């Protein structure tokens, strides 16, 4: 991927850094979750994705079928905005990285009041055959 920067009358393109690419992919992943877009989510995740999240009740889950259940329920009818607050990318080598952030999901509740759900997330990405795949995550709600 290239980023374009204006330069007087022309444009200069430069390759996207791994940090930029990972943040973009991670946002795409979060957007696919909000939209219940299984097709996009599946292309971004390793088939043996592992996780700890509130929905697992403290259990370690392996594979995509657990997640597909929630996608099959459909997306929320109300609009949502998902933001990665204070994201941090730590490269573990040329083909592995950790992305940490606080996830903020803004929406309007059934009473018409704006609400923001918060969770702390750590997501691990691994590059296989030149493609970044989401391989593990840990999500904890902020109380």
């Amino acid at each position: 991927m290239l980023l374009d920067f204006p330069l007087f009358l022309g444009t200069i393109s430069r390759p996207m850094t791994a940090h930029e690419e990972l943040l973009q992919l991670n946002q795409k992943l979060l957007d696919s979750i909000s939209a219940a877009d299984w097709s996009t989510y599946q292309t971004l995740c390793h088939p043996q994705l592992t996780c700890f999240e509130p929905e697992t009740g403290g259990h370690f889950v392996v594979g995509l079928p657990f997640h597909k259940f929630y996608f099959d329920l459909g997306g929320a009818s109300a609009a949502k905005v998902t933001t990665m607050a204070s994201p941090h990318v730590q490269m573990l080598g040329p083909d592995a990285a950790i992305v940490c952030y606080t996830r903020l999901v803004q929406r309007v509740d059934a009473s018409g009041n704006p609400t923001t759900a918060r969770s702390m997330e750590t997501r691990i990405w691994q590059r296989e055959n030149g493609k970044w795949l989401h391989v593990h995550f840990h999500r904890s709600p902020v109380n």
Side-chain angles (χ1 to χ4, degrees):
M1 294 186 184
L2 298 177
L3 295 178
D4 292 329
F5 296 96
L7 176 68
F8 301 105
L9 300 176
T11 300
I12 294 177
S13 294
R14 69 165 174 80
M16 190 180 301
T17 66
H19 284 72
E20 292 165 336
E21 184 178 7
L22 287 161
L23 288 175
Q24 186 178 74
L25 286 169
N26 206 81
Q27 186 65 51
K28 185 176 180 180
L29 180 85
L30 297 176
D31 292 343
S32 74
I33 294 167
S34 289
D37 178 358
W38 178 251
S39 176
T40 298
Y41 185 82
Q42 192 174 20
T43 64
L44 294 170
C45 295
H46 191 280
Q48 295 301 307
L49 174 70
T50 58
C51 75
F52 288 104
E53 63 177 328
E55 291 80 2
T56 69
H59 294 279
F60 179 71
V61 170
V62 178
L64 293 176
F66 178 85
H67 307 285
K68 188 169 186 322
F69 170 83
Y70 293 99
F71 279 82
D72 288 346
L73 295 175
S77 57
K80 294 187 214 180
V81 175
T82 302
T83 302
M84 286 185 288
S86 305
H88 175 77
V89 177
Q90 182 174 346
M91 299 301 297
L92 301 175
D95 296 321
I98 297 174
V99 180
C100 301
Y101 52 92
T102 299
R103 179 175 168 186
L104 304 173
V105 179
Q106 298 168 281
R107 64 181 182 86
V108 176
D109 69 16
S111 301
N113 298 312
T115 65
T116 303
R118 301 172 312 275
S119 59
M120 297 173 292
E121 298 189 357
T122 300
R123 296 191 182 260
I124 300 174
W125 292 80
Q126 181 176 355
R127 188 168 22 209
E128 292 184 0
N129 301 317
K131 180 183 176 188
W132 286 105
L133 290 173
H134 180 228
V135 297
H136 176 79
F137 70 97
H138 188 133
R139 181 168 55 89
S140 300
V142 176
N143 296 330

